[in-house]
Short mmCIF file of all heavy atoms in Angstrom, two decimals:
data_model
loop_
_atom_site.label_atom_id
_atom_site.label_comp_id
_atom_site.label_asym_id
_atom_site.label_seq_id
_atom_site.Cartn_x
_atom_site.Cartn_y
_atom_site.Cartn_z
N ASP P 1045 -148.70 29.51 -66.06
CA ASP P 1045 -148.10 30.16 -65.01
C ASP P 1045 -147.70 29.17 -63.78
O ASP P 1045 -146.98 29.39 -62.96
CB ASP P 1045 -148.80 31.43 -64.50
CG ASP P 1045 -148.49 32.72 -64.94
OD1 ASP P 1045 -147.35 32.87 -65.33
OD2 ASP P 1045 -149.21 33.63 -64.96
N ALA P 1046 -148.36 28.10 -63.81
CA ALA P 1046 -148.38 27.11 -62.72
C ALA P 1046 -148.63 27.61 -61.36
O ALA P 1046 -147.94 27.40 -60.43
CB ALA P 1046 -146.98 26.40 -62.75
N PHE P 1047 -149.68 28.45 -61.29
CA PHE P 1047 -150.20 29.13 -60.00
C PHE P 1047 -151.34 28.27 -59.48
O PHE P 1047 -151.72 28.56 -58.27
CB PHE P 1047 -150.53 30.53 -60.24
CG PHE P 1047 -149.40 31.51 -60.54
CD1 PHE P 1047 -149.66 32.80 -61.09
CD2 PHE P 1047 -148.09 31.11 -60.37
CE1 PHE P 1047 -148.51 33.72 -61.45
CE2 PHE P 1047 -147.02 32.02 -60.65
CZ PHE P 1047 -147.29 33.17 -61.15
N HIS P 1048 -152.02 27.58 -60.31
CA HIS P 1048 -153.27 26.84 -59.76
C HIS P 1048 -152.82 25.92 -58.59
O HIS P 1048 -151.78 25.20 -58.71
CB HIS P 1048 -153.84 26.04 -60.87
CG HIS P 1048 -155.28 25.52 -60.66
ND1 HIS P 1048 -155.37 24.49 -59.77
CD2 HIS P 1048 -156.45 25.85 -60.96
CE1 HIS P 1048 -156.77 24.29 -59.57
NE2 HIS P 1048 -157.29 24.97 -60.36
N PRO P 1049 -153.64 25.71 -57.61
CA PRO P 1049 -153.33 24.90 -56.46
C PRO P 1049 -153.00 23.48 -56.93
O PRO P 1049 -152.17 22.84 -56.22
CB PRO P 1049 -154.72 24.89 -55.51
CG PRO P 1049 -155.21 26.34 -55.80
CD PRO P 1049 -154.88 26.50 -57.29
N VAL P 1050 -153.61 22.98 -57.88
CA VAL P 1050 -153.34 21.54 -58.46
C VAL P 1050 -151.80 21.53 -58.87
O VAL P 1050 -151.13 20.63 -58.52
CB VAL P 1050 -154.26 21.10 -59.57
CG1 VAL P 1050 -153.75 20.01 -60.27
CG2 VAL P 1050 -155.69 20.91 -58.97
N ASN P 1051 -151.50 22.57 -59.61
CA ASN P 1051 -150.00 22.57 -60.19
C ASN P 1051 -149.12 22.83 -59.04
O ASN P 1051 -147.99 22.21 -59.04
CB ASN P 1051 -149.95 23.49 -61.33
CG ASN P 1051 -150.55 23.04 -62.52
OD1 ASN P 1051 -150.74 21.83 -62.76
ND2 ASN P 1051 -151.24 23.98 -63.32
N VAL P 1052 -149.45 23.65 -58.10
CA VAL P 1052 -148.58 23.86 -56.87
C VAL P 1052 -148.37 22.64 -56.14
O VAL P 1052 -147.13 22.30 -55.72
CB VAL P 1052 -149.12 25.10 -56.08
CG1 VAL P 1052 -148.31 25.16 -54.78
CG2 VAL P 1052 -149.22 26.35 -56.75
N GLY P 1053 -149.41 21.91 -55.85
CA GLY P 1053 -149.34 20.67 -55.17
C GLY P 1053 -148.48 19.62 -55.98
O GLY P 1053 -147.65 18.84 -55.32
N ARG P 1054 -148.71 19.55 -57.16
CA ARG P 1054 -147.87 18.59 -57.97
C ARG P 1054 -146.25 18.93 -57.93
O ARG P 1054 -145.47 18.10 -57.96
CB ARG P 1054 -148.35 18.62 -59.34
CG ARG P 1054 -149.73 18.02 -59.49
CD ARG P 1054 -150.18 17.72 -61.00
NE ARG P 1054 -149.34 16.72 -61.71
CZ ARG P 1054 -149.43 16.41 -62.92
NH1 ARG P 1054 -150.38 16.95 -63.74
NH2 ARG P 1054 -148.68 15.55 -63.37
N ILE P 1055 -146.00 20.28 -57.81
CA ILE P 1055 -144.57 20.59 -57.80
C ILE P 1055 -144.05 20.14 -56.34
O ILE P 1055 -142.99 19.63 -56.31
CB ILE P 1055 -144.47 22.17 -57.90
CG1 ILE P 1055 -144.72 22.52 -59.30
CG2 ILE P 1055 -143.10 22.61 -57.51
CD1 ILE P 1055 -145.13 24.00 -59.52
N MET P 1056 -144.89 20.23 -55.44
CA MET P 1056 -144.48 19.80 -54.09
C MET P 1056 -144.15 18.37 -54.02
O MET P 1056 -143.12 18.02 -53.32
CB MET P 1056 -145.72 20.08 -52.95
CG MET P 1056 -145.42 19.69 -51.59
SD MET P 1056 -144.31 20.70 -50.77
CE MET P 1056 -145.30 22.15 -50.46
N ILE P 1057 -144.92 17.50 -54.71
CA ILE P 1057 -144.56 16.04 -54.60
C ILE P 1057 -143.64 15.54 -55.78
O ILE P 1057 -143.21 14.52 -55.78
CB ILE P 1057 -145.90 15.25 -54.56
CG1 ILE P 1057 -146.74 15.53 -55.91
CG2 ILE P 1057 -146.68 15.56 -53.44
CD1 ILE P 1057 -147.79 14.49 -56.11
N GLY P 1058 -143.29 16.59 -56.68
CA GLY P 1058 -142.22 16.24 -57.66
C GLY P 1058 -142.84 15.59 -58.80
O GLY P 1058 -142.20 14.99 -59.68
N ASP P 1059 -144.26 15.69 -59.14
CA ASP P 1059 -144.82 15.06 -60.24
C ASP P 1059 -145.59 16.09 -60.97
O ASP P 1059 -146.72 16.27 -60.86
CB ASP P 1059 -145.85 13.95 -59.74
CG ASP P 1059 -146.67 13.42 -60.89
OD1 ASP P 1059 -146.21 13.39 -61.99
OD2 ASP P 1059 -147.76 12.98 -60.54
N TYR P 1060 -144.79 16.85 -61.78
CA TYR P 1060 -145.44 18.05 -62.41
C TYR P 1060 -145.34 18.18 -63.94
O TYR P 1060 -144.38 17.57 -64.50
CB TYR P 1060 -144.85 19.40 -61.81
CG TYR P 1060 -143.32 19.31 -61.77
CD1 TYR P 1060 -142.51 19.63 -62.88
CD2 TYR P 1060 -142.56 19.03 -60.52
CE1 TYR P 1060 -141.20 19.53 -62.90
CE2 TYR P 1060 -141.22 18.96 -60.45
CZ TYR P 1060 -140.54 19.23 -61.62
OH TYR P 1060 -139.10 19.17 -61.64
N ASP P 1061 -146.20 18.94 -64.65
CA ASP P 1061 -146.01 19.17 -66.08
C ASP P 1061 -145.49 20.55 -66.28
O ASP P 1061 -144.63 20.71 -67.09
CB ASP P 1061 -147.40 19.02 -66.73
CG ASP P 1061 -148.00 17.69 -66.78
OD1 ASP P 1061 -147.23 16.73 -66.86
OD2 ASP P 1061 -149.31 17.55 -66.54
N PHE P 1062 -145.95 21.58 -65.37
CA PHE P 1062 -145.50 22.82 -65.60
C PHE P 1062 -144.61 23.33 -64.28
O PHE P 1062 -145.08 22.95 -63.15
CB PHE P 1062 -146.53 23.86 -65.72
CG PHE P 1062 -147.55 23.39 -66.92
CD1 PHE P 1062 -148.79 23.33 -66.62
CD2 PHE P 1062 -147.09 23.12 -68.03
CE1 PHE P 1062 -149.75 22.94 -67.54
CE2 PHE P 1062 -147.93 22.77 -69.13
CZ PHE P 1062 -149.37 22.64 -68.82
N LEU P 1063 -143.65 24.20 -64.47
CA LEU P 1063 -143.05 24.92 -63.35
C LEU P 1063 -143.46 26.41 -63.42
O LEU P 1063 -143.40 26.89 -64.55
CB LEU P 1063 -141.51 24.59 -63.36
CG LEU P 1063 -141.11 23.28 -63.07
CD1 LEU P 1063 -139.48 23.10 -63.37
CD2 LEU P 1063 -141.45 22.74 -61.72
N PRO P 1064 -143.51 27.06 -62.17
CA PRO P 1064 -143.58 28.51 -62.29
C PRO P 1064 -142.44 29.09 -63.14
O PRO P 1064 -141.32 28.66 -62.87
CB PRO P 1064 -143.54 28.88 -60.78
CG PRO P 1064 -143.95 27.69 -60.06
CD PRO P 1064 -143.45 26.53 -60.87
N CYS P 1065 -142.70 30.10 -63.96
CA CYS P 1065 -141.70 30.50 -64.99
C CYS P 1065 -140.49 31.06 -64.40
O CYS P 1065 -139.36 30.79 -64.85
CB CYS P 1065 -142.34 31.49 -65.86
SG CYS P 1065 -143.81 30.81 -66.80
N THR P 1066 -140.76 31.76 -63.33
CA THR P 1066 -139.43 32.55 -62.77
C THR P 1066 -138.53 31.50 -62.01
O THR P 1066 -137.31 31.45 -62.25
CB THR P 1066 -139.80 33.73 -61.83
OG1 THR P 1066 -140.56 34.73 -62.63
CG2 THR P 1066 -138.62 34.40 -61.16
N PRO P 1067 -139.02 30.65 -61.03
CA PRO P 1067 -138.08 29.66 -60.47
C PRO P 1067 -137.57 28.64 -61.61
O PRO P 1067 -136.29 28.48 -61.42
CB PRO P 1067 -138.98 28.88 -59.56
CG PRO P 1067 -140.13 29.80 -59.25
CD PRO P 1067 -140.37 30.66 -60.44
N ALA P 1068 -138.22 28.32 -62.54
CA ALA P 1068 -137.73 27.52 -63.65
C ALA P 1068 -136.59 28.26 -64.40
O ALA P 1068 -135.58 27.55 -64.65
CB ALA P 1068 -138.84 27.08 -64.53
N GLY P 1069 -136.72 29.48 -64.59
CA GLY P 1069 -135.80 30.14 -65.28
C GLY P 1069 -134.43 30.34 -64.39
O GLY P 1069 -133.42 30.20 -64.82
N CYS P 1070 -134.79 30.53 -63.01
CA CYS P 1070 -133.57 30.58 -62.11
C CYS P 1070 -132.68 29.22 -62.15
O CYS P 1070 -131.63 29.19 -62.08
CB CYS P 1070 -134.11 30.92 -60.73
SG CYS P 1070 -134.75 32.56 -60.41
N MET P 1071 -133.51 28.13 -62.24
CA MET P 1071 -132.86 26.84 -62.37
C MET P 1071 -131.95 26.74 -63.48
O MET P 1071 -130.79 26.19 -63.55
CB MET P 1071 -133.81 25.74 -62.18
CG MET P 1071 -134.45 25.53 -60.75
SD MET P 1071 -133.33 25.43 -59.44
CE MET P 1071 -132.63 23.88 -59.74
N GLU P 1072 -132.52 27.23 -64.64
CA GLU P 1072 -131.70 27.23 -65.86
C GLU P 1072 -130.45 28.02 -65.62
O GLU P 1072 -129.30 27.64 -66.17
CB GLU P 1072 -132.54 27.79 -67.06
CG GLU P 1072 -133.65 26.90 -67.46
CD GLU P 1072 -133.24 25.80 -68.61
OE1 GLU P 1072 -132.07 26.02 -69.19
OE2 GLU P 1072 -133.98 24.84 -68.78
N LEU P 1073 -130.50 29.15 -65.12
CA LEU P 1073 -129.49 29.98 -64.87
C LEU P 1073 -128.35 29.32 -63.98
O LEU P 1073 -127.16 29.41 -64.18
CB LEU P 1073 -129.87 31.36 -64.35
CG LEU P 1073 -130.65 32.20 -65.33
CD1 LEU P 1073 -131.18 33.41 -64.53
CD2 LEU P 1073 -129.91 32.59 -66.46
N ILE P 1074 -128.92 28.67 -62.97
CA ILE P 1074 -127.91 27.90 -62.05
C ILE P 1074 -127.25 26.84 -62.73
O ILE P 1074 -125.98 26.71 -62.67
CB ILE P 1074 -128.76 27.34 -60.75
CG1 ILE P 1074 -129.21 28.62 -59.91
CG2 ILE P 1074 -127.87 26.39 -59.99
CD1 ILE P 1074 -130.19 28.16 -58.81
N HIS P 1075 -128.05 26.13 -63.56
CA HIS P 1075 -127.34 25.04 -64.30
C HIS P 1075 -126.34 25.56 -65.24
O HIS P 1075 -125.23 24.82 -65.52
CB HIS P 1075 -128.43 24.22 -65.00
CG HIS P 1075 -129.31 23.44 -64.12
ND1 HIS P 1075 -130.70 23.30 -64.45
CD2 HIS P 1075 -129.11 22.88 -62.93
CE1 HIS P 1075 -131.28 22.57 -63.51
NE2 HIS P 1075 -130.44 22.37 -62.55
N SER P 1076 -126.52 26.74 -65.79
CA SER P 1076 -125.60 27.26 -66.71
C SER P 1076 -124.13 27.47 -66.23
O SER P 1076 -123.24 27.56 -66.91
CB SER P 1076 -126.15 28.59 -67.44
OG SER P 1076 -125.93 29.60 -66.52
N THR P 1077 -124.22 27.68 -64.87
CA THR P 1077 -122.69 27.96 -64.32
C THR P 1077 -121.97 26.68 -64.19
O THR P 1077 -120.74 26.68 -63.99
CB THR P 1077 -122.88 28.44 -63.06
OG1 THR P 1077 -123.53 27.45 -61.95
CG2 THR P 1077 -123.84 29.76 -62.89
N GLY P 1078 -122.60 25.41 -64.39
CA GLY P 1078 -121.96 24.16 -64.32
C GLY P 1078 -121.90 23.66 -62.82
O GLY P 1078 -121.40 22.55 -62.62
N ILE P 1079 -122.52 24.30 -61.91
CA ILE P 1079 -122.36 23.84 -60.48
C ILE P 1079 -123.32 22.61 -60.47
O ILE P 1079 -124.42 22.55 -60.93
CB ILE P 1079 -122.93 25.00 -59.50
CG1 ILE P 1079 -122.68 24.56 -58.11
CG2 ILE P 1079 -124.48 25.35 -59.76
CD1 ILE P 1079 -123.05 25.64 -57.05
N ASP P 1080 -122.93 21.70 -59.64
CA ASP P 1080 -123.74 20.58 -59.31
C ASP P 1080 -124.56 20.83 -58.08
O ASP P 1080 -123.95 21.04 -56.96
CB ASP P 1080 -122.96 19.29 -59.03
CG ASP P 1080 -123.69 18.00 -58.69
OD1 ASP P 1080 -124.83 17.99 -58.69
OD2 ASP P 1080 -123.09 17.01 -58.39
#
Side-chain angles (χ1 to χ4, degrees):
D1045 258 337
F1047 291 165
H1048 192 286
V1050 166
N1051 288 327
V1052 173
R1054 292 188 67 182
I1055 291 159
M1056 178 71 76
I1057 62 174
D1059 172 29
Y1060 47 79
D1061 292 325
F1062 311 125
L1063 292 173
C1065 301
T1066 298
C1070 291
M1071 291 305 294
E1072 289 274 344
L1073 295 172
I1074 291 166
H1075 293 148
S1076 77
T1077 68
I1079 191 173
D1080 181 5

